[in-house]
Amino acid sequence: MLRTSITSTVCRRAFTIARRNLSDATTSRPSSALAGDTGRKATHLHHAMTSFLAIAAPIVMFTPDSYTDGMVNKGFGILVATTVSAHSWIGMNYVATDYVPKISKGLVGPARVFNAALGFVTFVGLSKIALNDKGGIKGAIKGLWRPQKKE
């Protein structure tokens, strides 16, 4: 019984120390405007965007075109463009934080700049598709499965 009590106390103490060290390691990272993966807010936002995309995209895709034509389709397209580009930016920053330092710690900054540029280009491209007059993002996705019209 004494052995169980000592083991339990040691395990609790080790867990507390490990948790403290882990929280110190995550909060001591230098923060910058390009570091989209730092802090609890970034993780929460990343997971919220994933949930939004998983729920909203099928709903809009399966809604009849008569309900979503016009501003609803364009608004949803801009929302998807924003969410996808921010989601990829934060996710790629997690990749840069985990894997780039294994190659060179000096490449973390350029990797973050590249991720920000990639997120911006993604946003611009998806926004252009969302605002076109041929159905926006919904029309572009549906066009993948429609046969081409013969002229």
Side-chain angles (χ1 to χ4, degrees):
M1 181 153 174
L2 181 63
R3 178 181 268 177
T4 307
S5 174
I6 292 172
T7 305
S8 174
T9 304
V10 169
C11 287
R12 268 187 272 141
R13 185 168 295 227
F15 180 73
T16 304
I17 291 169
R19 185 174 54 196
R20 188 178 308 135
N21 289 340
L22 182 61
S23 68
D24 290 345
T26 57
T27 57
S28 65
R29 275 195 272 173
S31 182
S32 76
L34 295 174
D37 62 334
T38 56
R40 291 180 187 230
K41 288 182 182 178
T43 303
H44 177 71
L45 183 64
H46 187 71
H47 289 256
M49 286 186 284
T50 303
S51 299
F52 169 76
L53 288 172
I55 293 169
I59 290 172
V60 172
M61 290 299 172
F62 291 119
T63 302
D65 289 338
S66 60
Y67 293 123
T68 60
D69 281 346
M71 289 306 293
V72 172
N73 195 18
K74 290 181 182 188
F76 175 73
I78 293 294
L79 193 60
V80 165
T82 303
T83 306
V84 166
S85 59
H87 178 81
S88 66
W89 172 59
I90 292 171
M92 289 304 292
N93 271 301
Y94 280 119
V95 172
T97 299
D98 290 343
Y99 296 107
V100 173
K102 292 178 181 178
I103 298 169
S104 170
K105 291 186 181 189
L107 291 176
V108 174
R112 291 191 187 280
V113 170
F114 176 78
N115 291 337
L118 185 63
F120 178 73
V121 169
T122 302
F123 174 72
V124 170
L126 287 175
S127 294
K128 183 175 180 178
I129 292 171
L131 296 175
N132 77 17
D133 292 333
K134 297 179 180 166
I137 290 179
K138 184 177 178 179
I141 292 173
K142 283 184 173 183
L144 294 172
W145 286 276
R146 285 190 188 143
Q148 289 185 344
K149 295 180 182 177
K150 295 181 181 179
E151 294 181 27

